[in-house]
Amino acid sequence: MTTATMQVSQKDFEKAQEQLKLLKKDPGNETKLKLYALFKQATEGPCNSPKPGMLDFVKKAKWDAWNSLGNLSQDNARQKYTELVSSLISAESAGQTKDASPEESRHGGYETIIVTTKNNITKIMFNRPERKNAINHQMYREIIKALHEAGKDDSTIAVITGNGEYYTSGNDLNNFANVKPNEMEKMAKDGAVLLKEFVSSFIDFPKPLIAVVNGPAIGISVTLLGLCDIVYASDRATFHTPFSQLGQSPEGCSSYLFPKIMGLAKANEMLLFNKKLTAAQACAWGLVTEVFPDGTFQKEVWERLKAYASLPKNSLAVSKQLLRSMEKEKLHAVNSKECEVLKERWLSDECLNAIVSFFQRKSKL
Ligand SMILES: CCCCCC/C=C/C(=O)SCCNC(=O)CCNC(=O)[C@H](O)C(C)(C)COP(=O)(O)OP(=O)(O)OC[C@H]1O[C@@H](n2cnc3c(N)ncnc32)[C@H](O)[C@@H]1OP(=O)(O)O
């Protein structure tokens, strides 16, 4: 860089300091720390002062921010400081400071679900409302991918919810349709492999996972609630696991978790005898954390989640993993066993007759 450009840069830097004083809105602690660090780096160079004590929170946060800039040159620090101030000024004049209203970003590459991130929350939304959000093979795979990505992205928590009237009507029964007799075994085998991977992605999910049950939930979408950390439900939601009606058997680790959550007698009513629960019953039985009136459901829940997602991210992840670690091995064993049993069930006459009845519209839940 020439002396001339450095001088301009120094001039801009001084101007930026003046402009900063004119900001009307507080840019938030994170941004203020960034500005502090860049200013120190620009004016004094890399951080060489001794690290403050653990309990001197403010000094330590400032020191950490400055120290994190490592050997960034003073010119570059001046440049970054000036750019940051300029972006704050522009955002304010556009009526939106970055910290006050972050944009929702949509993740690409999905067709059956919508994945977005905003306010440190990654939301995975079932998106086949015209099929009551039934989960077809593509959706199983996309949810596995979305959970994998959400586990690694910058979000603090993840949310799973449905678009439209239903949360989801569970497994898409078309997954069993149009299978030739000589391909039945393969269909069952491949289905069990996919199901095992799908449920494993819930067992292993490393951050708090919250189910926002916006409407009726059926089958696998209900059993998976036992693997979520919090379940919020609209008072319009119902919870139905009609496995015996469909000639099938429980999955999603529900054969182990439901008796733990609600007691064996109540789990039997749901998992053996197809009892459909209202949201209030599901809450009383311990499957649902809290029920909200449908009219205010989205507003109340998202306000609450926004506050939860501003808690320290690493602390939440570590605590979630600690709680899950006590059961993880067991849950994987249960998942394997349930998939083995289901693989056999899918080949049974009881199951095949139930699917045929559904498509002939003789039976609906
Ligand atoms: C890799 C495989 C893993 C398997 C894991 C094991 C999982 C098990 C389960 O999840 S068991 C639960 C399976 N789900 C069901 O049995 C629900 C079946 N659906 C219904 O009973 C009804 O559709 C309803 C009660 C959900 C809604 O009834 P209604 O309000 O009258 O709406 P429609 O029936 O007209 O629905 C509109 C449209 O959507 C189709 N649809 C809805 N749910 C499913 C579904 N789960 N599978 C396939 N198709 C579904 C329905 O057929 C209608 O289609 P149409 O307009 O007639 O073409």
Side-chain angles (χ1 to χ4, degrees), residues 231-266:
V231 179
Y232 291 141
S234 150
D235 59 7
R236 215 172 45 75
T238 51
F239 300 82
H240 195 191
T241 47
F243 299 126
S244 54
Q245 210 172 320
L246 292 164
Q248 299 188 33
S249 52
E251 23 59 358
C253 296
S254 58
S255 60
Y256 173 66
L257 288 175
F258 276 26
K260 276 186 73 152
I261 291 169
M262 57 191 73
L264 185 59
K266 292 197 174 355

Side-chain angles (χ1 to χ4, degrees), residues 119-164:
N119 293 328
N120 302 324
I121 305 172
T122 291
K123 177 169 80 174
I124 299 171
M125 185 157 75
F126 308 116
N127 189 35
R128 297 180 74 213
E130 71 294 345
R131 318 296 295 176
K132 314 290 181 196
N133 293 328
I135 310 175
N136 61 11
H137 282 154
Q138 182 181 359
M139 198 193 284
Y140 282 110
R141 290 194 198 95
E142 289 189 358
I143 294 170
I144 293 171
K145 180 168 173 256
L147 284 173
H148 186 69
E149 288 177 356
K152 291 193 299 183
D153 70 14
D154 281 341
S155 63
T156 303
I157 61 176
V159 167
I160 187 147
T161 190
N163 186 15

Side-chain angles (χ1 to χ4, degrees), residues 259-279:
K260 276 186 73 152
I261 291 169
M262 57 191 73
L264 185 59
K266 292 197 174 355
N268 286 340
E269 275 212 289
M270 278 194 89
L271 297 176
L272 303 185
F273 299 112
N274 313 307
K275 184 179 169 82
K276 189 202 274 190
L277 303 190
T278 62

Side-chain angles (χ1 to χ4, degrees), residues 188-209:
K189 200 169 154 225
D190 292 350
V193 169
L194 180 58
L195 178 61
K196 190 172 161 195
E197 189 185 349
F198 179 69
V199 174
S200 290
S201 64
F202 282 78
I203 299 174
D204 292 332
F205 192 68
K207 301 175 181 178
L209 179 61

